[in-house]
Amino acid sequence: MRPVSLGILERAGVTRDQITAQFGPASASFEGDHVLAYRLQQGHSGYNVLRTTGWEGVNYDLILAFDESGVLSQHHMVPIHAPQPPH
Amino acid sequence: MLRNLRTRGVGALLCCCGMLQSCIILPVPRTASPTVGSRAEIPKALIEQIGPGKSKRVDVLLLLGEPDARVDADTSFIYDWRTGRGGIGWVMLWGIPAYAASSGGVIELGNWEPVLRRWLIRFDDSGVVSDVTWDGLPYRMPQSRR
């Protein structure tokens, strides 16, 4: 489990290398590394990247698409399981 | 001798009655939610945002996330999940009274296995969606039904 800040996704010109430096290795890559996927769990203080093969505990699948020069062009947090409400 | 047999027969009958009395069939509400480790359901309304002949592989990934299986160098993506059967299931509670053996349990009656649901999305050579299959059957998008 790796805590991450998603603020980087809103910055202009973010590169794939900057993403992988902060998020670590992706859980999956597609289209010759032009699309990366990270499984996120929403915690009390932010998001954590999960290293898991199944979907247990995963709240979002973060999909990042990069252009030909490796700059982030699109991203979407795909809901997987609704986060547990705080107790 | 006859009295002994009769006593044994009555004893066996009482034992059977006792067992029968401790056997109850009950309805139990079942959940239709995804099983542990499975992804959540992907509703048809979400799939219908995909346009065969228009949506690219990256569009599908941004919409649905990473697939549960990738087929033949990403020429197809499989999205699947397992859900409980929902509705009412029936269980049999059984027990042998203390004077016999003092044990019991629950037997699920009928089929309680989770249901596998599956979307299969195929792409053409240029990475554009060619067709969508739902549980093994071609799925007609609303725009193609008109």
Side-chain angles (χ1 to χ4, degrees), chain A residues 5-23 36 64-67 69-75:
Chain A
S5 167
L6 301 186
I8 188 173
L9 305 178
E10 305 306 326
R11 295 212 309 254
V14 175
T15 65
R16 184 169 38 237
D17 290 344
Q18 289 172 314
I19 292 287
T20 52
Q22 180 172 325
F23 284 59
L36 300 181
L64 306 172
F66 300 88
D67 63 17
S69 55
V71 172
L72 182 65
S73 56
Q74 297 180 82
H75 70 272

Side-chain angles (χ1 to χ4, degrees), chain A:
Chain A
M1 194 180 286
R2 179 178 182 137
V4 290
S5 167
L6 301 186
I8 188 173
L9 305 178
E10 305 306 326
R11 295 212 309 254
V14 175
T15 65
R16 184 169 38 237
D17 290 344
Q18 289 172 314
I19 292 287
T20 52
Q22 180 172 325
F23 284 59
S27 66
S29 68
F30 304 84
E31 307 279 62
D33 280 351
H34 282 96
V35 180
L36 300 181
Y38 289 92
R39 298 182 178 197
L40 302 182
Q41 184 179 64
Q42 188 171 2
H44 295 296
S45 56
Y47 294 92
N48 299 300
V49 173
L50 296 185
R51 307 268 174 251
T52 173
T53 52
W55 294 107
E56 191 173 0
V58 178
N59 300 128
Y60 299 96
D61 196 28
L62 174 63
I63 303 296
L64 306 172
F66 300 88
D67 63 17
E68 292 301 318
S69 55
V71 172
L72 182 65
S73 56
Q74 297 180 82
H75 70 272
H76 186 225
M77 287 186 34
V78 180
I80 299 296
H81 294 293
Q84 296 292 322
H87 297 291

